Structures are given as C-alpha cells and as structure tokens.
Amino acid sequence: MNTLLLDVIRAARAEWIKLRRPGLLWGTLGAVVAVTALATAIGIATAGDGTARQAPGGPRIGVTVAALQSASGLSNGLSSAATLLGVVALCLCAGAVAGEYAQGTLRNLLIRQPRRLRLFAGIALACAAFTTLMVATATLANVAASFVAATLTGMDTSAWTTGAAAGDLLRAAANTSMSTIGWAGIGFALAVALRTPVAAIAVGVAYALPVENIVNAAVDDAGRYLPGQLLAAVAGGGTADVGYGYALTVLAAYAAAVVAIVAVLLRRRDVTA
C-alpha cells in the first residue's frame, strides 16, 4: 500500500473518531430516522386513486395507491426523503470541516499531516462513510415505516416481499447514497471556502431549500442545470425532465470543477486560526 493511500486512510480514521461521538452519531441518525419515517408515512397516507404527479426536478409525489402497492412502492419514501437527507449530510459535513478552522484545531492536524490535500481527502472519505451509514439507516427506517403505515391504512403489501422489491430498494438506496454524498460535498466545499460552521451551514441550507426551488420555478429548464435538482433526479432514478444519465454526467462535471477550486484554496490560503 503506497504512502498516499495510507495517509488518506489515517486521516479518515482520525476524522471518524470525531464523527462517531455518541451525541453526534445518535443525534444525526435519530434525525435521519424521523425524516425518513415522516416522508414515508405522509406518502402512504396521502396516496390517491388518480394519476401520480411528479415534482419538477424531484422524486415522485402524490403517488397512487396502485403504484405504492407495486414492488417499487417500498422505496418511495426513501426517494421522497432524499433531499432532506442531503441537507442533513450538508450540515454535518460543513460543520465538521469548518469546525477545524473555527476551533483552531486545523493547525494541530497540519503539524501531524502537513500534506493538506491528503488530510482533507481523508476527512472527505470519513464524511462519505458517515453519509453512507445515514442512508443505510434511512433505508431500514423506510422499510419499517412503510409496513407500519400500510398496515394502518389497509394497503396490500404482498408485492413488497418479492425479489423485485428488494432489488428496487437496493437501487433506490444506492441512488440516494450518491445524491446524499453529493450534498455532503457541497457542504465540504462551502466549509473550505467560508471556514466558519454557521456561515457554511446557513448558506448551504438557504441554497438547498428556498433558493433552488424559487429559481427552478421561475426559470424554464433550470432543473437541468441546478445541482440540487440534479441530485434529486439521481435519487429518484431520473425524472420526466432530467434523465438519470444526464444528471450523473452534469454532476460529474460540477464535481471536477469544485474539486479543482477546493484544491487551490487548500494549497494557497494560509491557516491563520
């Protein structure tokens, strides 16, 4: 194993110690369970007999009872909660990275690992691992909430116990994981740029929730270029307006540009706190 990879793994293990503190770990996972269960229960409770609608640039909403009773219905709640899970990941990652600047601990980390790109690559890896754990927890919460809500509403769940349902759930979990990691990446970039947890989180949440939705509603075809809408399309496996492959391609281009900018900021700016 080469030195570069070892350095990244060591940095990731050090960051993971901070991320798995009981208060942060269980608080975050508790929020994930609550968000997913609520989205799942609302989706089942509000299901109708009419034609399902689709949110612009987002996952399915107002799905029909027939759609929910199909094999793919088991994963509906997870896809619907993807953006909110992404906001949780954005806040987590932004707080973890910007906190190193604000608390003055980054200087100590750089004494131990002076290669900044390797250090932050390890931090990013730890954040991605934690985000994956979040999605795994959300998937379990979605399954449990789906069966409970379906039982209470008298919905037929026989199709949910088939192999097709399991495959669809795994695909939805993988897509949601990619989407959520993308949101965490936005939080990481904001933290490096702003270097203050409150500012990074505030800007990220403001953009993710009101700003993108307003721009998407006001500008035609904006959903084909806005990062949040593209991440929502990935989580939903594609939408009527934004194809799955197209969303991944544009997001990959955005990611390459953001990584280049972040790398320049990390290498060029002095650590003053």
Side-chain angles (χ1 to χ4, degrees):
M1 189 177 295
N2 59 44
T3 305
L4 187 154
L5 185 56
L6 282 174
D7 288 343
V8 172
I9 292 175
R10 291 191 185 105
R13 291 177 62 184
E15 183 67 16
W16 183 255
I17 293 174
K18 184 177 70 174
L19 292 175
R20 65 179 175 83
R21 289 176 301 177
L24 178 61
L25 175 65
W26 297 116
T28 302
L29 295 185
V32 165
V33 169
V35 165
T36 307
L38 181 61
T40 301
I42 289 176
I44 292 177
T46 59
D49 296 327
T51 303
R53 296 176 293 110
Q54 184 148 356
R60 295 163 295 181
I61 62 173
V63 292
T64 62
V65 172
L68 285 176
Q69 290 180 154
S70 67
S72 62
L74 183 60
S75 62
N76 182 76
L78 182 62
S79 299
S80 298
T83 297
L84 292 178
L85 293 175
V87 171
V88 173
L90 183 153
C91 295
L92 173 76
C93 192
V97 177
E100 304 290 2
Y101 289 97
Q103 297 168 11
T105 53
L106 182 57
R107 289 179 298 179
N108 297 329
L109 292 175
L110 290 174
I111 291 173
R112 182 67 176 175
Q113 173 52 271
R115 298 178 178 85
R116 298 186 185 188
L117 295 185
R118 298 186 185 188
L119 172 64
F120 279 87
I123 293 175
L125 180 61
C127 288
F130 195 94
T131 299
T132 302
L133 175 62
M134 284 173 44
V135 175
T137 302
T139 302
L140 296 177
N142 167 73
V143 172
S146 294
F147 277 100
V148 171
T151 300
L152 293 176
T153 57
M155 186 176 293
D156 180 19
T157 62
S158 58
W160 293 359
T161 58
T162 63
D168 188 85
L169 182 64
L170 289 176
R171 283 190 295 272
N175 290 335
T176 302
S177 183
M178 286 190 289
S179 173
T180 308
I181 289 174
W183 281 112
I186 293 175
F188 186 100
L190 288 172
V192 172
L194 301 176
R195 298 193 283 189
T196 304
V198 173
I201 292 173
V203 171
V205 172
Y207 174 76
L209 298 180
V211 173
E212 265 221 1
N213 289 329
I214 291 172
V215 174
N216 187 47
V219 180
D220 292 339
D221 292 331
R224 294 180 59 82
Y225 307 101
L226 294 173
Q229 302 303 312
L230 294 171
L231 289 170
V234 169
T239 68
D241 299 321
V242 183
Y244 182 74
Y246 172 85
L248 286 177
T249 301
V250 177
L251 286 171
Y254 283 159
V258 170
V259 168
I261 294 171
V262 168
V264 171
L265 292 176
L266 290 175
R267 291 178 64 91
R268 299 296 182 95
R269 289 202 302 190
D270 292 333
V271 177
T272 58

PDB file of all heavy atoms in Angstrom, residues 132-168:
ATOM      1  N   THR A 132     -22.977   7.385   4.046  1.00  0.00           N
ATOM      2  CA  THR A 132     -23.460   6.061   3.643  1.00  0.00           C
ATOM      3  C   THR A 132     -24.171   5.362   4.788  1.00  0.00           C
ATOM      4  O   THR A 132     -25.203   4.695   4.594  1.00  0.00           O
ATOM      5  CB  THR A 132     -22.286   5.204   3.148  1.00  0.00           C
ATOM      6  OG1 THR A 132     -21.638   5.877   2.059  1.00  0.00           O
ATOM      7  CG2 THR A 132     -22.767   3.842   2.662  1.00  0.00           C
ATOM      8  N   LEU A 133     -23.628   5.512   6.005  1.00  0.00           N
ATOM      9  CA  LEU A 133     -24.291   4.951   7.188  1.00  0.00           C
ATOM     10  C   LEU A 133     -25.656   5.593   7.391  1.00  0.00           C
ATOM     11  O   LEU A 133     -26.633   4.911   7.739  1.00  0.00           O
ATOM     12  CB  LEU A 133     -23.410   5.174   8.422  1.00  0.00           C
ATOM     13  CG  LEU A 133     -24.008   4.756   9.772  1.00  0.00           C
ATOM     14  CD1 LEU A 133     -24.285   3.261   9.798  1.00  0.00           C
ATOM     15  CD2 LEU A 133     -23.072   5.153  10.915  1.00  0.00           C
ATOM     16  N   MET A 134     -25.748   6.893   7.157  1.00  0.00           N
ATOM     17  CA  MET A 134     -27.025   7.585   7.264  1.00  0.00           C
ATOM     18  C   MET A 134     -28.062   6.995   6.313  1.00  0.00           C
ATOM     19  O   MET A 134     -29.212   6.744   6.694  1.00  0.00           O
ATOM     20  CB  MET A 134     -26.841   9.074   6.945  1.00  0.00           C
ATOM     21  CG  MET A 134     -26.204   9.901   8.034  1.00  0.00           C
ATOM     22  SD  MET A 134     -25.864  11.603   7.460  1.00  0.00           S
ATOM     23  CE  MET A 134     -27.383  12.013   6.603  1.00  0.00           C
ATOM     24  N   VAL A 135     -27.661   6.764   5.068  1.00  0.00           N
ATOM     25  CA  VAL A 135     -28.597   6.239   4.072  1.00  0.00           C
ATOM     26  C   VAL A 135     -29.006   4.810   4.415  1.00  0.00           C
ATOM     27  O   VAL A 135     -30.166   4.424   4.230  1.00  0.00           O
ATOM     28  CB  VAL A 135     -27.985   6.321   2.667  1.00  0.00           C
ATOM     29  CG1 VAL A 135     -28.908   5.659   1.638  1.00  0.00           C
ATOM     30  CG2 VAL A 135     -27.729   7.768   2.275  1.00  0.00           C
ATOM     31  N   ALA A 136     -28.062   4.020   4.913  1.00  0.00           N
ATOM     32  CA  ALA A 136     -28.401   2.652   5.325  1.00  0.00           C
ATOM     33  C   ALA A 136     -29.441   2.680   6.444  1.00  0.00           C
ATOM     34  O   ALA A 136     -30.405   1.895   6.440  1.00  0.00           O
ATOM     35  CB  ALA A 136     -27.144   1.914   5.786  1.00  0.00           C
ATOM     36  N   THR A 137     -29.260   3.584   7.403  1.00  0.00           N
ATOM     37  CA  THR A 137     -30.233   3.729   8.489  1.00  0.00           C
ATOM     38  C   THR A 137     -31.578   4.200   7.944  1.00  0.00           C
ATOM     39  O   THR A 137     -32.644   3.717   8.360  1.00  0.00           O
ATOM     40  CB  THR A 137     -29.710   4.736   9.526  1.00  0.00           C
ATOM     41  OG1 THR A 137     -28.444   4.292  10.020  1.00  0.00           O
ATOM     42  CG2 THR A 137     -30.680   4.874  10.682  1.00  0.00           C
ATOM     43  N   ALA A 138     -31.538   5.152   7.012  1.00  0.00           N
ATOM     44  CA  ALA A 138     -32.770   5.650   6.412  1.00  0.00           C
ATOM     45  C   ALA A 138     -33.507   4.551   5.655  1.00  0.00           C
ATOM     46  O   ALA A 138     -34.749   4.499   5.662  1.00  0.00           O
ATOM     47  CB  ALA A 138     -32.459   6.812   5.468  1.00  0.00           C
ATOM     48  N   THR A 139     -32.773   3.670   5.007  1.00  0.00           N
ATOM     49  CA  THR A 139     -33.391   2.566   4.268  1.00  0.00           C
ATOM     50  C   THR A 139     -34.158   1.644   5.208  1.00  0.00           C
ATOM     51  O   THR A 139     -35.298   1.238   4.927  1.00  0.00           O
ATOM     52  CB  THR A 139     -32.322   1.773   3.501  1.00  0.00           C
ATOM     53  OG1 THR A 139     -31.620   2.652   2.613  1.00  0.00           O
ATOM     54  CG2 THR A 139     -32.949   0.655   2.693  1.00  0.00           C
ATOM     55  N   LEU A 140     -33.542   1.313   6.338  1.00  0.00           N
ATOM     56  CA  LEU A 140     -34.216   0.461   7.322  1.00  0.00           C
ATOM     57  C   LEU A 140     -35.443   1.165   7.892  1.00  0.00           C
ATOM     58  O   LEU A 140     -36.498   0.546   8.067  1.00  0.00           O
ATOM     59  CB  LEU A 140     -33.245   0.097   8.446  1.00  0.00           C
ATOM     60  CG  LEU A 140     -32.034  -0.754   8.049  1.00  0.00           C
ATOM     61  CD1 LEU A 140     -31.116  -0.976   9.249  1.00  0.00           C
ATOM     62  CD2 LEU A 140     -32.484  -2.096   7.478  1.00  0.00           C
ATOM     63  N   ALA A 141     -35.300   2.462   8.163  1.00  0.00           N
ATOM     64  CA  ALA A 141     -36.442   3.225   8.682  1.00  0.00           C
ATOM     65  C   ALA A 141     -37.572   3.282   7.660  1.00  0.00           C
ATOM     66  O   ALA A 141     -38.754   3.206   8.018  1.00  0.00           O
ATOM     67  CB  ALA A 141     -35.995   4.634   9.057  1.00  0.00           C
ATOM     68  N   ASN A 142     -37.226   3.406   6.399  1.00  0.00           N
ATOM     69  CA  ASN A 142     -38.222   3.449   5.335  1.00  0.00           C
ATOM     70  C   ASN A 142     -39.011   2.142   5.255  1.00  0.00           C
ATOM     71  O   ASN A 142     -40.235   2.155   5.132  1.00  0.00           O
ATOM     72  CB  ASN A 142     -37.525   3.724   3.999  1.00  0.00           C
ATOM     73  CG  ASN A 142     -38.421   3.474   2.809  1.00  0.00           C
ATOM     74  OD1 ASN A 142     -39.335   4.226   2.529  1.00  0.00           O
ATOM     75  ND2 ASN A 142     -38.166   2.378   2.098  1.00  0.00           N
ATOM     76  N   VAL A 143     -38.287   1.029   5.346  1.00  0.00           N
ATOM     77  CA  VAL A 143     -38.963  -0.274   5.280  1.00  0.00           C
ATOM     78  C   VAL A 143     -39.916  -0.446   6.457  1.00  0.00           C
ATOM     79  O   VAL A 143     -41.082  -0.842   6.295  1.00  0.00           O
ATOM     80  CB  VAL A 143     -37.923  -1.415   5.244  1.00  0.00           C
ATOM     81  CG1 VAL A 143     -38.606  -2.769   5.377  1.00  0.00           C
ATOM     82  CG2 VAL A 143     -37.105  -1.351   3.956  1.00  0.00           C
ATOM     83  N   ALA A 144     -39.422  -0.147   7.666  1.00  0.00           N
ATOM     84  CA  ALA A 144     -40.258  -0.305   8.855  1.00  0.00           C
ATOM     85  C   ALA A 144     -41.481   0.605   8.797  1.00  0.00           C
ATOM     86  O   ALA A 144     -42.618   0.170   9.051  1.00  0.00           O
ATOM     87  CB  ALA A 144     -39.430  -0.015  10.104  1.00  0.00           C
ATOM     88  N   ALA A 145     -41.266   1.871   8.454  1.00  0.00           N
ATOM     89  CA  ALA A 145     -42.379   2.825   8.397  1.00  0.00           C
ATOM     90  C   ALA A 145     -43.368   2.462   7.301  1.00  0.00           C
ATOM     91  O   ALA A 145     -44.585   2.669   7.457  1.00  0.00           O
ATOM     92  CB  ALA A 145     -41.839   4.239   8.176  1.00  0.00           C
ATOM     93  N   SER A 146     -42.870   1.929   6.189  1.00  0.00           N
ATOM     94  CA  SER A 146     -43.754   1.545   5.085  1.00  0.00           C
ATOM     95  C   SER A 146     -44.726   0.452   5.506  1.00  0.00           C
ATOM     96  O   SER A 146     -45.938   0.541   5.259  1.00  0.00           O
ATOM     97  CB  SER A 146     -42.917   1.074   3.883  1.00  0.00           C
ATOM     98  OG  SER A 146     -42.166   2.127   3.334  1.00  0.00           O
ATOM     99  N   PHE A 147     -44.206  -0.576   6.165  1.00  0.00           N
ATOM    100  CA  PHE A 147     -45.078  -1.684   6.569  1.00  0.00           C
ATOM    101  C   PHE A 147     -46.056  -1.256   7.663  1.00  0.00           C
ATOM    102  O   PHE A 147     -47.220  -1.663   7.658  1.00  0.00           O
ATOM    103  CB  PHE A 147     -44.232  -2.867   7.040  1.00  0.00           C
ATOM    104  CG  PHE A 147     -43.727  -3.725   5.910  1.00  0.00           C
ATOM    105  CD1 PHE A 147     -42.432  -3.594   5.442  1.00  0.00           C
ATOM    106  CD2 PHE A 147     -44.555  -4.652   5.300  1.00  0.00           C
ATOM    107  CE1 PHE A 147     -41.961  -4.373   4.391  1.00  0.00           C
ATOM    108  CE2 PHE A 147     -44.106  -5.451   4.249  1.00  0.00           C
ATOM    109  CZ  PHE A 147     -42.802  -5.306   3.792  1.00  0.00           C
ATOM    110  N   VAL A 148     -45.592  -0.416   8.594  1.00  0.00           N
ATOM    111  CA  VAL A 148     -46.489   0.055   9.651  1.00  0.00           C
ATOM    112  C   VAL A 148     -47.601   0.914   9.065  1.00  0.00           C
ATOM    113  O   VAL A 148     -48.790   0.716   9.357  1.00  0.00           O
ATOM    114  CB  VAL A 148     -45.703   0.841  10.713  1.00  0.00           C
ATOM    115  CG1 VAL A 148     -46.658   1.525  11.689  1.00  0.00           C
ATOM    116  CG2 VAL A 148     -44.760  -0.070  11.476  1.00  0.00           C
ATOM    117  N   ALA A 149     -47.238   1.887   8.218  1.00  0.00           N
ATOM    118  CA  ALA A 149     -48.235   2.773   7.628  1.00  0.00           C
ATOM    119  C   ALA A 149     -49.183   2.004   6.713  1.00  0.00           C
ATOM    120  O   ALA A 149     -50.390   2.287   6.674  1.00  0.00           O
ATOM    121  CB  ALA A 149     -47.546   3.891   6.850  1.00  0.00           C
ATOM    122  N   ALA A 150     -48.647   1.030   5.969  1.00  0.00           N
ATOM    123  CA  ALA A 150     -49.504   0.247   5.080  1.00  0.00           C
ATOM    124  C   ALA A 150     -50.506  -0.592   5.869  1.00  0.00           C
ATOM    125  O   ALA A 150     -51.668  -0.727   5.476  1.00  0.00           O
ATOM    126  CB  ALA A 150     -48.641  -0.651   4.203  1.00  0.00           C
ATOM    127  N   THR A 151     -50.056  -1.137   6.995  1.00  0.00           N
ATOM    128  CA  THR A 151     -50.962  -1.916   7.838  1.00  0.00           C
ATOM    129  C   THR A 151     -52.083  -1.048   8.390  1.00  0.00           C
ATOM    130  O   THR A 151     -53.251  -1.446   8.418  1.00  0.00           O
ATOM    131  CB  THR A 151     -50.175  -2.557   8.998  1.00  0.00           C
ATOM    132  OG1 THR A 151     -49.171  -3.427   8.461  1.00  0.00           O
ATOM    133  CG2 THR A 151     -51.097  -3.361   9.896  1.00  0.00           C
ATOM    134  N   LEU A 152     -51.742   0.156   8.817  1.00  0.00           N
ATOM    135  CA  LEU A 152     -52.738   1.059   9.388  1.00  0.00           C
ATOM    136  C   LEU A 152     -53.746   1.532   8.353  1.00  0.00           C
ATOM    137  O   LEU A 152     -54.903   1.814   8.690  1.00  0.00           O
ATOM    138  CB  LEU A 152     -52.042   2.266  10.019  1.00  0.00           C
ATOM    139  CG  LEU A 152     -51.179   1.971  11.250  1.00  0.00           C
ATOM    140  CD1 LEU A 152     -50.471   3.239  11.717  1.00  0.00           C
ATOM    141  CD2 LEU A 152     -52.027   1.401  12.384  1.00  0.00           C
ATOM    142  N   THR A 153     -53.328   1.626   7.099  1.00  0.00           N
ATOM    143  CA  THR A 153     -54.235   2.102   6.046  1.00  0.00           C
ATOM    144  C   THR A 153     -54.864   0.959   5.244  1.00  0.00           C
ATOM    145  O   THR A 153     -55.650   1.217   4.330  1.00  0.00           O
ATOM    146  CB  THR A 153     -53.482   3.025   5.075  1.00  0.00           C
ATOM    147  OG1 THR A 153     -52.356   2.322   4.516  1.00  0.00           O
ATOM    148  CG2 THR A 153     -52.972   4.267   5.793  1.00  0.00           C
ATOM    149  N   GLY A 154     -54.544  -0.281   5.589  1.00  0.00           N
ATOM    150  CA  GLY A 154     -55.120  -1.418   4.888  1.00  0.00           C
ATOM    151  C   GLY A 154     -54.571  -1.634   3.492  1.00  0.00           C
ATOM    152  O   GLY A 154     -55.238  -2.230   2.637  1.00  0.00           O
ATOM    153  N   MET A 155     -53.352  -1.192   3.237  1.00  0.00           N
ATOM    154  CA  MET A 155     -52.757  -1.328   1.906  1.00  0.00           C
ATOM    155  C   MET A 155     -52.156  -2.718   1.716  1.00  0.00           C
ATOM    156  O   MET A 155     -51.568  -3.285   2.641  1.00  0.00           O
ATOM    157  CB  MET A 155     -51.670  -0.248   1.722  1.00  0.00           C
ATOM    158  CG  MET A 155     -51.080  -0.192   0.328  1.00  0.00           C
ATOM    159  SD  MET A 155     -49.898   1.194   0.180  1.00  0.00           S
ATOM    160  CE  MET A 155     -51.013   2.590   0.343  1.00  0.00           C
ATOM    161  N   ASP A 156     -52.303  -3.267   0.535  1.00  0.00           N
ATOM    162  CA  ASP A 156     -51.751  -4.583   0.213  1.00  0.00           C
ATOM    163  C   ASP A 156     -50.230  -4.474   0.061  1.00  0.00           C
ATOM    164  O   ASP A 156     -49.727  -3.675  -0.729  1.00  0.00           O
ATOM    165  CB  ASP A 156     -52.377  -5.095  -1.084  1.00  0.00           C
ATOM    166  CG  ASP A 156     -51.837  -6.469  -1.476  1.00  0.00           C
ATOM    167  OD1 ASP A 156     -51.281  -7.162  -0.605  1.00  0.00           O
ATOM    168  OD2 ASP A 156     -51.959  -6.828  -2.661  1.00  0.00           O
ATOM    169  N   THR A 157     -49.492  -5.289   0.813  1.00  0.00           N
ATOM    170  CA  THR A 157     -48.023  -5.234   0.778  1.00  0.00           C
ATOM    171  C   THR A 157     -47.398  -6.524   0.239  1.00  0.00           C
ATOM    172  O   THR A 157     -46.203  -6.733   0.407  1.00  0.00           O
ATOM    173  CB  THR A 157     -47.475  -4.966   2.191  1.00  0.00           C
ATOM    174  OG1 THR A 157     -47.859  -6.055   3.059  1.00  0.00           O
ATOM    175  CG2 THR A 157     -47.997  -3.661   2.751  1.00  0.00           C
ATOM    176  N   SER A 158     -48.186  -7.343  -0.410  1.00  0.00           N
ATOM    177  CA  SER A 158     -47.652  -8.635  -0.880  1.00  0.00           C
ATOM    178  C   SER A 158     -46.513  -8.462  -1.881  1.00  0.00           C
ATOM    179  O   SER A 158     -45.553  -9.242  -1.896  1.00  0.00           O
ATOM    180  CB  SER A 158     -48.769  -9.464  -1.506  1.00  0.00           C
ATOM    181  OG  SER A 158     -49.385  -8.756  -2.585  1.00  0.00           O
ATOM    182  N   ALA A 159     -46.573  -7.421  -2.707  1.00  0.00           N
ATOM    183  CA  ALA A 159     -45.524  -7.198  -3.709  1.00  0.00           C
ATOM    184  C   ALA A 159     -44.223  -6.713  -3.075  1.00  0.00           C
ATOM    185  O   ALA A 159     -43.162  -6.773  -3.695  1.00  0.00           O
ATOM    186  CB  ALA A 159     -45.995  -6.182  -4.745  1.00  0.00           C
ATOM    187  N   TRP A 160     -44.277  -6.223  -1.839  1.00  0.00           N
ATOM    188  CA  TRP A 160     -43.086  -5.695  -1.176  1.00  0.00           C
ATOM    189  C   TRP A 160     -42.146  -6.777  -0.672  1.00  0.00           C
ATOM    190  O   TRP A 160     -41.019  -6.484  -0.267  1.00  0.00           O
ATOM    191  CB  TRP A 160     -43.498  -4.801  -0.002  1.00  0.00           C
ATOM    192  CG  TRP A 160     -44.181  -3.540  -0.419  1.00  0.00           C
ATOM    193  CD1 TRP A 160     -44.440  -3.118  -1.691  1.00  0.00           C
ATOM    194  CD2 TRP A 160     -44.701  -2.532   0.450  1.00  0.00           C
ATOM    195  NE1 TRP A 160     -45.095  -1.914  -1.682  1.00  0.00           N
ATOM    196  CE2 TRP A 160     -45.265  -1.523  -0.383  1.00  0.00           C
ATOM    197  CE3 TRP A 160     -44.752  -2.375   1.829  1.00  0.00           C
ATOM    198  CZ2 TRP A 160     -45.875  -0.377   0.148  1.00  0.00           C
ATOM    199  CZ3 TRP A 160     -45.357  -1.241   2.357  1.00  0.00           C
ATOM    200  CH2 TRP A 160     -45.899  -0.254   1.524  1.00  0.00           C
ATOM    201  N   THR A 161     -42.614  -8.009  -0.643  1.00  0.00           N
ATOM    202  CA  THR A 161     -41.789  -9.098  -0.113  1.00  0.00           C
ATOM    203  C   THR A 161     -41.173  -9.935  -1.232  1.00  0.00           C
ATOM    204  O   THR A 161     -40.650 -11.015  -0.985  1.00  0.00           O
ATOM    205  CB  THR A 161     -42.642  -9.997   0.795  1.00  0.00           C
ATOM    206  OG1 THR A 161     -43.759 -10.510   0.052  1.00  0.00           O
ATOM    207  CG2 THR A 161     -43.136  -9.227   2.004  1.00  0.00           C
ATOM    208  N   THR A 162     -41.214  -9.433  -2.447  1.00  0.00           N
ATOM    209  CA  THR A 162     -40.660 -10.155  -3.592  1.00  0.00           C
ATOM    210  C   THR A 162     -39.211  -9.749  -3.867  1.00  0.00           C
ATOM    211  O   THR A 162     -38.722  -8.737  -3.347  1.00  0.00           O
ATOM    212  CB  THR A 162     -41.498  -9.887  -4.856  1.00  0.00           C
ATOM    213  OG1 THR A 162     -41.431  -8.480  -5.167  1.00  0.00           O
ATOM    214  CG2 THR A 162     -42.959 -10.279  -4.636  1.00  0.00           C
ATOM    215  N   GLY A 163     -38.550 -10.519  -4.702  1.00  0.00           N
ATOM    216  CA  GLY A 163     -37.186 -10.189  -5.093  1.00  0.00           C
ATOM    217  C   GLY A 163     -37.110  -8.891  -5.869  1.00  0.00           C
ATOM    218  O   GLY A 163     -36.132  -8.139  -5.752  1.00  0.00           O
ATOM    219  N   ALA A 164     -38.136  -8.597  -6.664  1.00  0.00           N
ATOM    220  CA  ALA A 164     -38.156  -7.352  -7.427  1.00  0.00           C
ATOM    221  C   ALA A 164     -38.177  -6.144  -6.491  1.00  0.00           C
ATOM    222  O   ALA A 164     -37.515  -5.134  -6.748  1.00  0.00           O
ATOM    223  CB  ALA A 164     -39.375  -7.320  -8.348  1.00  0.00           C
ATOM    224  N   ALA A 165     -38.938  -6.252  -5.405  1.00  0.00           N
ATOM    225  CA  ALA A 165     -38.994  -5.156  -4.439  1.00  0.00           C
ATOM    226  C   ALA A 165     -37.645  -4.955  -3.765  1.00  0.00           C
ATOM    227  O   ALA A 165     -37.201  -3.817  -3.548  1.00  0.00           O
ATOM    228  CB  ALA A 165     -40.075  -5.435  -3.401  1.00  0.00           C
ATOM    229  N   ALA A 166     -36.972  -6.056  -3.427  1.00  0.00           N
ATOM    230  CA  ALA A 166     -35.657  -5.956  -2.794  1.00  0.00           C
ATOM    231  C   ALA A 166     -34.645  -5.308  -3.738  1.00  0.00           C
ATOM    232  O   ALA A 166     -33.844  -4.457  -3.332  1.00  0.00           O
ATOM    233  CB  ALA A 166     -35.179  -7.341  -2.368  1.00  0.00           C
ATOM    234  N   GLY A 167     -34.696  -5.701  -5.014  1.00  0.00           N
ATOM    235  CA  GLY A 167     -33.787  -5.106  -5.992  1.00  0.00           C
ATOM    236  C   GLY A 167     -34.042  -3.627  -6.185  1.00  0.00           C
ATOM    237  O   GLY A 167     -33.103  -2.832  -6.258  1.00  0.00           O
ATOM    238  N   ASP A 168     -35.311  -3.250  -6.248  1.00  0.00           N
ATOM    239  CA  ASP A 168     -35.653  -1.832  -6.411  1.00  0.00           C
ATOM    240  C   ASP A 168     -35.224  -1.031  -5.182  1.00  0.00           C
ATOM    241  O   ASP A 168     -34.747   0.102  -5.308  1.00  0.00           O
ATOM    242  CB  ASP A 168     -37.158  -1.684  -6.624  1.00  0.00           C
ATOM    243  CG  ASP A 168     -37.556  -0.264  -7.001  1.00  0.00           C
ATOM    244  OD1 ASP A 168     -37.489   0.063  -8.195  1.00  0.00           O
ATOM    245  OD2 ASP A 168     -37.918   0.509  -6.096  1.00  0.00           O
TER     246      ASP A 168
END
